[in-house]
Amino acid sequence: MRVIAIDGPAGSGKSTVAKAVATRLGLAYLDTGAMYRAIAFEAMRRGIDPADAGPVATLAREVDLAVGEKVLVDGVDATIEIRSPEVTRAVSTVAANPAVRQELVARQREWVKAHDGAVVEGRDIGTVVFPSADLKVYLTADDQERASRRSKEMLDLQYDQVAADIARRDHIDSTRPASPLSVADDAIRIDTTGRNIDIVVEEVLALAAQEETADETSAQGTDHDQTRRGEAR
Ligand code: DC
């Protein structure tokens, strides 16, 4: 089972790169941020305060989530709603809830197993969800560029507001006690500031190809060693 982890903060280019890499490699694609967003959305829809840890955790354990091209929450299509500014503002609080993380991490591992591998994007994929991923990429971009990418996506919001929301989210995501956003020791960092995202995709594909070759070589090495050991016996 091949797993490629793509982590990084909001606006670093993760989704675009992860989707394109998955398509090119014929792997499934999992957006784990969409799962945290779905819990935040459903909590608000049911009138649960996103900061109310117990009820939000119960909801995370009980709700039916289907994440793919569309995001279905208890069978209802919430693909568009989970991207709303309200959900975006509430999601970091939900994602800081350790019981929610425990539940969603388990679901993410199951999802990837059921799809026989995937390109998985998030914040803690290389550090917590799949610490032995075949390839770990950590994307970054400077704050201004991340805010301007996001404000272009959200036509109804002003740049200043988006920049403030991103800074607030970055702060919560990277200072929370439960699996904060951090770079895995063995992740390859790519700064996407001022770079064409197609070139970044090619760079990640080249890393994936290198990793595959290295993997095959070491597997052959192991076979060879086993044969030699077999011969010696
Ligand atoms: O990538 P995104 O903006 O859709 O993520 C939404 C929120 O979920 C964001 O505040 C960080 C959080 N998140 C997380 O804590 N762990 C993940 N694996 C993915 C997202």
Side-chain angles (χ1 to χ4, degrees):
M1 183 173 91
R2 193 171 188 203
V3 178
I4 298 184
I6 314 253
D7 287 302
S12 57
K14 283 191 314 285
S15 302
T16 314
V17 171
K19 272 184 217 160
V21 168
T23 306
R24 293 273 293 272
L25 296 179
L27 287 170
Y29 157 71
L30 178 62
D31 171 8
T32 60
M35 299 173 83
Y36 289 96
R37 285 174 179 274
I39 302 300
F41 162 79
E42 185 62 12
M44 289 160 84
R45 198 187 67 79
R46 293 188 189 183
I48 301 171
D49 178 352
D52 209 351
V56 178
T58 304
L59 162 71
R61 284 191 283 265
E62 290 175 0
V63 79
D64 182 33
L65 272 189
V67 182
E69 294 232 326
K70 290 191 179 297
V71 175
L72 304 183
V73 187
D74 273 344
V76 176
D77 188 344
T79 315
I80 308 281
E81 289 85 344
I82 62 163
R83 307 283 161 198
S84 73
E86 293 75 25
V87 171
T88 300
R89 261 174 234 130
V91 67
S92 286
T93 306
V94 168
N97 182 328
V100 170
R101 299 202 72 81
Q102 190 184 12
E103 173 62 26
L104 292 191
V105 166
R107 291 191 190 214
Q108 290 155 16
R109 289 180 179 147
E110 273 168 30
W111 191 101
V112 171
K113 205 169 157 203
H115 288 78
D116 198 25
V119 177
V120 189
E121 74 154 277
R123 302 289 194 289
D124 59 342
I125 309 306
T127 49
V128 175
V129 189
F130 290 105
S132 51
D134 299 282
L135 173 65
K136 300 180 187 178
V137 174
Y138 189 92
L139 297 182
T140 55
D142 72 25
D143 294 355
Q144 270 189 344
E145 179 145 341
R146 294 194 293 120
S148 85
R149 284 178 188 163
R150 274 294 153 99
S151 59
K152 275 182 205 139
E153 284 165 21
M154 303 171 129
L155 297 171
D156 53 337
L157 287 180
Q158 296 300 313
Y159 172 87
D160 289 348
Q161 192 186 341
V162 173
D165 280 354
I166 286 192
R168 189 182 137 271
R169 234 157 30 104
D170 280 357
H171 178 74
I172 302 178
D173 292 343
S174 44
T175 55
R176 67 181 177 222
S179 356
L181 171 66
S182 65
V183 192
D185 292 340
D186 49 352
I188 296 162
R189 286 177 84 116
I190 302 179
D191 187 341
T192 66
T193 312
R195 297 188 63 200
N196 180 319
I197 216 73
D198 295 340
I199 293 172
V200 178
V201 170
E202 295 305 325
E203 194 175 334
V204 175
L205 287 168
L207 291 169
Q210 263 174 31
E211 166 276 314
E212 204 173 24
T213 314
D215 224 38
E216 275 163 16
T217 312
S218 74
Q220 276 165 9
T222 313
D223 289 351
H224 187 63
D225 289 350
Q226 277 166 356
T227 314
R228 285 223 314 241
R229 273 202 298 277
E231 282 166 2
R233 246 186 270 133

